[in-house]
């Protein structure tokens, strides 16, 4: 099987990451060890087939900082919720596997979204369907379809934050179109109620 040659500048972030992981695993960041790690990382990236990680080329700090705050808030709240549920319901707790189809087809965004969700107690990504960008999450205390809808909404909100931070221009345009469409529907519904 022939493989398209990836330019060095495109695979440089992957190589740098692998060198950092190499240094951390050996707990040695000396120049000699990092150079050796760089040679191994280059060999791994070029000799073993890895699907290319395509970066969007953008990173928005103005969304990254609030996302970190949101993530830490959700982490603390979920920790207390899981603690409370374990005390009050214990083994009688009802769980569910919820499928959520994401907007983005980017492997990087799907992965980052899945990891961000799995780090918050109470949910865990158990499977990813790469062809449809669908995450399957095992979630605690989901008893109704409304509970599953709330999980889906929260997952898509997390993905929306990540698209604003580092999504491709196409993902960002899709998100903005979706937000505009939702706002127009809300305005229409308010007009009907009046």
């Amino acid at each position: 099987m022939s493989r398209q040659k990836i330019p060095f500048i495109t695979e440089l972030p992957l190589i740098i990451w692998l060198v950092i992981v190499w240094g951390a695993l050996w707990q040695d960041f000396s120049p000699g060890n990092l150079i050796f790690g760089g040679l191994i990382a280059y060999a791994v990236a070029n000799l073993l087939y890895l699907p290319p990680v395509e970066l969007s080329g953008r990173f928005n700090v103005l969304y990254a900082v609030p996302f970190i705050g949101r993530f830490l808030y959700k982490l603390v709240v979920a920790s207390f919720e899981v603690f409370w549920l374990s005390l009050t319901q214990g083994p009688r707790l009802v769980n569910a596997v919820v499928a959520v189809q994401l907007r983005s087809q980017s492997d990087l965004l799907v992965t980052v979204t899945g990891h961000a969700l799995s780090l918050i107690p109470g949910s865990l990504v158990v499977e990813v369907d790469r062809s449809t960008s669908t995450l399957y999450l095992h979630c605690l205390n989901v008893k109704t379809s409304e509970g599953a809808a709330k999980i889906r909404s929260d997952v898509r909100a997390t993905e929306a934050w990540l698209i604003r931070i580092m999504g491709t221009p196409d993902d960002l345009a899709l998100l903005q179109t979706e937000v505009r469409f939702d706002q127009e529907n809300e305005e229409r519904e308010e007009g009907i109620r009046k």
Side-chain angles (χ1 to χ4, degrees), residues 2-14:
S2 66
R3 176 178 160 194
Q4 178 184 350
K5 179 66 177 144
I6 299 168
F8 180 73
I9 194 73
T10 303
E11 66 183 16
L12 187 60
L14 173 64

Side-chain angles (χ1 to χ4, degrees), residues 32-45:
N33 190 47
L34 294 180
I35 290 170
F36 185 67
L39 293 173
I40 291 175
Y42 183 78
V44 164

Side-chain angles (χ1 to χ4, degrees):
M1 177 167 92
S2 66
R3 176 178 160 194
Q4 178 184 350
K5 179 66 177 144
I6 299 168
F8 180 73
I9 194 73
T10 303
E11 66 183 16
L12 187 60
L14 173 64
I15 291 173
I16 291 170
W17 175 249
L18 290 173
V19 169
I20 291 169
V21 169
W22 176 265
L25 288 173
W26 287 100
Q27 297 179 357
D28 179 9
F29 288 92
S30 66
N33 190 47
L34 294 180
I35 290 170
F36 185 67
L39 293 173
I40 291 175
Y42 183 78
V44 164
N46 287 284
L47 298 177
L48 302 176
Y49 177 73
L50 299 170
V53 177
E54 297 194 20
L55 304 176
S56 66
R58 57 180 293 278
F59 187 84
N60 190 329
V61 176
L62 297 176
Y63 281 103
V65 172
F67 175 77
I68 292 170
R70 176 186 184 271
F71 174 78
L72 293 174
Y73 171 77
K74 292 182 82 51
L75 184 72
V76 170
V77 169
S79 297
F80 283 109
E81 285 176 355
V82 169
F83 173 71
W84 180 251
L85 288 170
S86 67
L87 287 178
T88 58
Q89 296 187 20
R92 296 182 317 274
L93 193 62
V94 177
N95 306 317
V97 174
V98 180
V100 184
Q101 186 169 7
L102 302 179
R103 298 171 189 91
S104 177
Q105 295 293 317
S106 163
D107 287 341
L108 180 63
L109 269 173
V110 171
T111 302
V112 172
T113 303
H115 283 296
L117 296 168
S118 290
L119 289 171
I120 296 173
S123 66
L124 178 68
V125 176
V126 293
E127 187 176 340
V128 177
D129 184 347
R130 186 174 174 213
S131 65
T132 61
S133 294
T134 302
L135 298 179
Y136 294 89
L137 291 97
H138 179 271
C139 304
L140 295 179
N141 200 31
V142 178
K143 299 176 183 174
T144 63
S145 58
E146 289 81 17
K150 184 175 182 280
I151 298 287
R152 285 187 191 93
S153 174
D154 186 54
V155 169
R156 289 179 60 85
T158 300
E159 182 199 20
W161 275 94
L162 291 167
I163 287 173
R164 289 181 184 108
I165 294 168
M166 62 180 172
T168 65
D170 291 340
D171 288 335
L172 194 56
L174 177 68
L175 178 64
Q176 290 168 344
T177 302
E178 186 179 297
V179 168
R180 251 191 324 272
F181 181 74
D182 289 344
Q183 288 172 346
E184 289 171 2
N185 279 345
E186 285 178 18
E187 289 170 4
R188 233 181 270 126
E189 287 176 9
E190 284 180 20
I192 292 171
R193 284 186 213 134
K194 291 180 181 178

